Amino acid sequence: MSPPTSLLLVDDEAELRELLAEYFTRQGFAVRCAADAAEARRLLAEARPELALLDLNMPGENGLSLARWLREAHPQVAILMLTTASDAVDRVVGLELGADDYVAKPFDLRELLARVRAVLRRTQAVVAATPATAPAGSGRRVAFGACALDLDERKLWDAQGQEVTITAAEFDLLALFARHPNRPLNRDQIMEQAHNRGWDVFDRSIDLRIMRLRRKVERNPDKPEVLKTVRNVGYVFVST
């Protein structure tokens, strides 16, 4: 029997923490709770969770700052943010920092559970097929410009063999492009296959992730040669 999925819940509202901890425990998760960012850092030093559920609006160090640190220090941890309905700017910033998804308060517990499970499916999924673009002798690696994406280890390497930090959502996006080289993908296809969430015309998460990935794989992010924009369509991975 596999161990329960570990979840770190960070929220300064005691009643909400207790409610969510009880609910996710009943759903089979191993839940640890923190009232603020400082306590969350202490818990992370003890054990790394599979997913962190972060409230953005906390006293002291806020959720955005914690998300930035968490993405840099523990890139394998999935991040789902809890925001208020009016925090559109914070949601965009959070996604740009590397969060995998967000849920606006107030939320339905079943919807939150579904979002958590969707994020975990994406972060834990193994790409089923080896793309035809994998270089000879490199196993399941796909070249993205001067970088190489390792599909088994879920890691991105630069030309010098150094690991380039990417989020779980960024890996999913690159893996999707690797499966469809030289084929333009529209935002609906990307959201369906690499994001698992209904497309919202006001949601810039895909564009922000493409922008972040260009900074990592393009020689000149302002003149992309690997992840190109296809006007009135979406994006295409140009495989060489």
Side-chain angles (χ1 to χ4, degrees), residues 80-96:
L80 194 150
M81 304 181 305
L82 299 178
T83 74
T84 61
S86 61
D87 286 340
V89 174
D90 284 347
R91 290 200 296 270
V92 171
V93 172
L95 291 168
E96 188 171 13

Side-chain angles (χ1 to χ4, degrees), residues 33-227:
C33 296
D36 55 33
E39 185 177 3
R41 289 173 185 265
R42 289 195 295 271
L43 293 176
L44 282 159
E46 296 172 3
R48 188 179 69 194
E50 294 171 70
L51 182 140
L53 197 58
L54 307 180
D55 180 32
L56 287 193
N57 298 311
M58 297 185 294
E61 183 182 3
N62 63 26
L64 288 175
S65 174
L66 180 60
R68 179 188 295 108
W69 172 83
L70 181 58
R71 180 53 65 222
E72 293 175 355
H74 302 282
Q76 296 82 11
V77 176
I79 300 175
L80 194 150
M81 304 181 305
L82 299 178
T83 74
T84 61
S86 61
D87 286 340
V89 174
D90 284 347
R91 290 200 296 270
V92 171
V93 172
L95 291 168
E96 188 171 13
L97 290 175
D100 296 286
D101 203 350
Y102 68 85
V103 175
K105 297 179 180 179
F107 48 76
D108 181 89
L109 288 174
R110 291 170 298 180
E111 179 190 358
L112 179 60
L113 176 63
R115 293 284 188 87
V116 165
R117 286 176 171 167
V119 168
L120 287 169
R121 282 197 300 271
R122 296 200 301 272
T123 57
Q124 296 171 352
V126 175
V127 178
T130 302
T133 53
S138 64
R140 290 163 53 88
R141 286 194 175 189
V142 181
F144 279 84
C147 295
L149 182 72
D150 191 307
L151 296 170
D152 292 317
E153 295 186 3
R154 300 177 63 88
K155 293 181 179 180
L156 183 67
W157 306 95
D158 66 16
Q160 288 71 45
Q162 299 296 312
E163 182 178 356
V164 179
T165 299
I166 56 173
T167 70
E170 289 169 349
F171 170 83
D172 289 336
L173 191 50
L174 287 176
L176 173 63
F177 283 124
R179 294 195 298 270
H180 303 285
N182 304 310
R183 172 187 166 188
L185 300 175
N186 62 42
R187 288 177 175 81
D188 289 336
Q189 292 171 314
I190 294 172
M191 292 296 290
E192 179 182 353
Q193 298 183 53
H195 198 270
N196 288 340
R197 184 156 65 85
W199 174 247
D200 182 343
V201 294
F202 299 105
D203 188 340
R204 296 181 55 229
S205 62
I206 295 299
D207 299 321
L208 291 169
R209 285 172 184 154
I210 293 289
M211 181 177 65
R212 289 202 308 270
L213 286 171
R214 282 174 172 168
R215 293 173 186 159
K216 298 174 182 180
V217 305
E218 298 283 0
R219 291 178 175 84
N220 183 354
D222 295 327
K223 296 180 180 180
E225 299 176 346
V226 179
L227 299 177

Side-chain angles (χ1 to χ4, degrees), residues 184-187 189 230-235:
L185 300 175
N186 62 42
R187 288 177 175 81
Q189 292 171 314
V230 181
R231 188 175 181 181
N232 297 325
V233 178
Y235 299 99

